[in-house]
Amino acid sequence: MQPKLIIHGGAGSSLKDKGGLAAVRQDLHAIARNTYECLLQGASAIDAVVKGCQLLEDAPRFNAGTGSVLQADGQIRMSAALMDGTRQRFSGVINVSRAPHPIDLANALQPESDRVLSDYGAAELLRELHVPIHDPLTDLRLHEWIEERKGNFSRKMADVVAESRRGTIGVVALDNSGCLAAGTSTGGKGLERIGRVSDSAMPAGNYATQHAAVSCTGIGEDIIDECTATRIVVRVTDGLSLADAIAKSMQEAKVNNRDLGAIALDVTGAIAWGKTSEVLLAAYHDGTQIGDTLEWIGDGLSDALSN
Ligand code: GLY
């Protein structure tokens, strides 16, 4: 079977604060190429998803791993989830600090009986795995936080959502055996209360079965209220095409004024994406070439490539 891949680096209203179109395109295409190469060499969907997430977590322009945004108290707390579609098995970590790749912790939890760990448990897991301590803070994120803090977070009170705070990264892969997997990782919404839990480490934001797999981005509370990833996957499982499942789910999210995006694959090799936000930072490899959604702006809520 021909492998398929789609990745994202968040959603928002413009590419400006992410470094502009050319820079985002260069990063996303390089990561899509590298991750697709793993699939071509026979990597499983789950291993390719972990690899793709690691590369996106390492890219500081995206809000996950290094380059994560700061919470209200000035600390970074990251969350990540991994779902194996074939075994329909979810694992994740919530609000972990000082890890280079939160997706690695989600991966380490895949075979465990306790598969979603939060703060202290996730920190303990880091120690068990002997992961060297890593500070994911960048100068840019610190500067953004200091700016937002001015006036006692008045921008937040005015409900202005900074672009960097809508970021998340995600990878969805179909391997040469026809197995699907999805992974999602985030620094969260930024300026959130201590203890807030992101959609990225819930089935609302990251879900897969043997039929379809989805990773979401956008405002976590909106994704949780729509249960977007699970909603799309269940629709495909019940017989809707991937394109129709994503179109219907985005239409419903739009009616409810949600701010979100999603990337998806199904077991036939169809690739689809959708958004209610203005831009979606996604790139895909269809087996022949790499494409992206970076200049897809306008009224359309979803689009798809069939296999
Ligand atoms: N979607 C990332 C978050 O809101 O935490």
Side-chain angles (χ1 to χ4, degrees):
M1 170 141 212
Q2 171 131 68
K4 300 285 166 98
L5 176 77
I6 184 162
I7 68 173
H8 73 75
S13 62
S14 101
L15 295 172
K16 231 188 282 167
D17 88 310
K18 297 264 186 354
L21 175 66
V24 172
R25 179 166 281 157
Q26 189 175 355
D27 275 6
L28 288 180
H29 284 218
I31 292 169
R33 193 172 301 110
N34 202 324
T35 308
Y36 193 77
E37 191 56 40
C38 297
L39 286 165
L40 281 183
Q41 286 172 9
S44 66
I46 202 114
D47 286 350
V49 164
V50 170
K51 175 72 180 173
C53 286
Q54 289 170 345
L55 293 171
L56 286 157
E57 287 172 339
D58 284 342
R61 77 175 77 253
F62 304 122
N63 173 22
T66 300
S68 288
V69 297
L70 280 61
Q71 299 195 336
D73 64 344
Q75 298 298 310
I76 289 175
R77 297 181 185 87
M78 302 169 286
S79 299
L82 184 63
M83 188 143 185
D84 179 341
T86 306
R87 289 188 295 164
Q88 209 173 313
R89 181 172 275 236
F90 183 97
S91 58
V93 285
I94 295 167
N95 290 333
V96 61
S97 306
R98 310 225 156 232
H101 301 125
I103 194 70
D104 287 350
L105 302 181
N107 194 24
L109 290 170
Q110 270 284 309
E112 301 292 324
S113 51
D114 298 332
R115 287 199 301 278
V116 183
L117 295 183
S118 67
D119 41 42
Y120 294 125
E124 191 60 31
L125 179 65
L126 265 177
R127 274 191 291 274
E128 276 171 36
L129 296 173
H130 303 292
V131 178
I133 286 178
H134 171 77
D135 185 355
L137 180 65
T138 62
D139 289 350
L140 175 65
R141 296 303 186 213
L142 181 59
H143 175 74
E144 284 172 356
W145 186 82
I146 290 168
E147 284 301 307
E148 299 226 26
R149 192 167 165 268
K150 285 180 185 162
N152 198 21
F153 298 116
S154 52
R155 273 164 58 81
K156 188 181 181 214
M157 286 167 179
D159 215 17
V160 176
V161 179
E163 278 306 307
S164 55
R165 293 203 258 125
R166 287 202 265 192
T168 294
I169 66 92
V171 178
V172 180
L174 174 71
D175 66 26
N176 60 15
S177 305
C179 298
L180 287 159
T184 305
S185 181
T186 189
K189 200 164 58 163
L191 302 184
E192 62 266 70
R193 292 173 66 132
I194 301 168
R196 181 248 184 194
V197 175
S198 167
D199 65 288
S200 300
M202 295 184 192
N206 189 81
Y207 196 68
T209 65
Q210 58 183 294
H211 302 283
V214 175
S215 167
C216 295
T217 177
I219 302 295
E221 284 69 11
D222 288 359
I223 297 165
I224 294 165
D225 288 347
E226 293 293 310
C227 209
T228 309
T230 307
R231 181 183 289 233
I232 295 166
V233 171
V234 168
R235 283 190 158 137
V236 175
T237 305
D238 285 348
L240 226 56
S241 71
L242 186 68
D244 287 348
I246 211 158
K248 189 169 166 59
S249 305
M250 290 300 139
Q251 189 57 47
E252 290 164 348
K254 180 83 180 170
V255 168
N256 290 332
N257 280 322
R258 311 299 190 193
D259 185 351
L260 53 79
I263 58 170
L265 295 179
D266 77 9
V267 72
T268 71
I271 305 175
W273 55 90
K275 61 168 174 64
T276 59
S277 49
E278 281 103 272
V279 290
L280 175 67
L281 284 60
Y284 50 84
H285 201 309
D286 65 3
T288 309
Q289 58 185 7
I290 293 177
D292 67 54
T293 66
L294 300 177
E295 291 172 278
W296 176 51
I297 299 165
D299 291 339
L301 292 177
S302 65
D303 206 352
L305 297 178
S306 54
N307 48 322

